[in-house]
Amino acid sequence: MRVADLYCGIGTITDVATQQGCNVVAAADKDPYALQQYEHMHGLDIPLYGNVSRELDKEGPLSLRSAIQDIDLVVMGTPCHNFSSLNMHSDLRTAESDCLWSIPKVLESKPKMVLVENVTNLLKAQRGKLFQNLQQEIQSKGYVVDYHVENATSYGSCQSRERLFLSVIRDDVVAKCGPLMRTLPESGA
């Protein structure tokens, strides 16, 4: 399975993907120090890109857009500071994020599936309108979008931390394979 790790930080998703036998073909993050650490941890075999939104505007055989063309899976841990409950300067009524709007740009490269992780306050931003508009934009690109909230305690963590996950699957993949099936641990498991 070919995977791209966007908003990769130091590469935790890359670690898991390679442990599972996936081929990580691209990684991107705007933080040069994170990319430096990523390169130290993962070597020079994975092409690294900077700011995701800007990189997706570039074209050519070595571009991020080309690297993710018809890829199996793009994982995006988009920055969430505008929506975080810890950000005392953010106003959810007007909160916005350029990073979120990189999702429709990614879809122009026709990945089979995109998995996006963010904070649950994204659902409340602009009184729900931001998320609704994002869903509509994703669907207009020929994708099915589903979302769910998970808590880290359900997976053995002692930290109670809810996160929002969006699964974005290309229409033809859904038609061939059916909707995304997920198995969640039972409460208390």
Side-chain angles (χ1 to χ4, degrees), residues 6-169:
L6 306 188
Y7 303 100
C8 65
I10 65 170
T12 306
I13 295 298
T14 295
D15 284 340
V16 172
T18 54
Q19 288 171 12
Q20 296 301 314
C22 298
N23 179 21
V24 178
V25 299
D29 199 290
K30 71 177 186 176
D31 183 338
Y33 297 110
L35 289 176
Q36 185 178 29
Q37 185 63 32
Y38 185 102
E39 186 175 272
H40 175 73
M41 292 174 63
H42 303 287
L44 301 173
D45 295 337
I46 300 170
L48 294 178
Y49 300 88
N51 181 297
V52 174
S53 293
R54 288 189 203 133
E55 293 288 348
L56 288 169
D57 289 336
K58 297 177 183 177
E59 297 198 23
L62 300 178
S63 68
L64 176 59
R65 181 185 291 258
S66 179
I68 64 172
Q69 188 67 41
D70 200 37
I71 196 168
D72 297 310
L73 174 63
V74 175
V75 180
M76 302 174 73
T78 57
C80 57
H81 58 274
N82 290 351
F83 311 114
S84 174
S85 60
L86 299 176
N87 183 348
M88 301 312 241
H89 303 290
S90 182
D91 181 354
L92 284 179
R93 293 172 295 172
T94 58
E96 182 62 80
S97 172
D98 291 340
C99 298
L100 285 178
W101 296 107
S102 67
I103 299 168
K105 282 184 173 183
V106 164
L107 300 182
E108 292 172 11
S109 293
K110 300 295 182 195
K112 292 178 179 77
M113 182 174 169
V114 178
L115 180 64
V116 181
E117 175 269 336
N118 209 296
V119 295
T120 58
N121 270 349
L122 173 57
L123 296 171
K124 300 175 188 174
Q126 298 177 13
R127 296 186 174 96
K129 278 294 199 191
L130 178 66
F131 188 71
Q132 183 181 17
N133 291 341
L134 180 62
Q135 282 185 296
Q136 290 171 349
E137 181 67 19
I138 290 169
Q139 291 166 344
S140 76
K141 300 278 187 195
Y143 285 79
V144 173
V145 60
D146 189 17
Y147 68 94
H148 56 279
V149 174
E150 300 291 342
N151 192 315
T153 57
S154 298
Y155 299 92
S157 174
C158 59
Q159 181 186 27
S160 180
R161 185 175 184 198
E162 287 191 334
R163 304 304 280 182
L164 173 68
F165 290 90
L166 282 77
S167 60
V168 179
I169 306 173

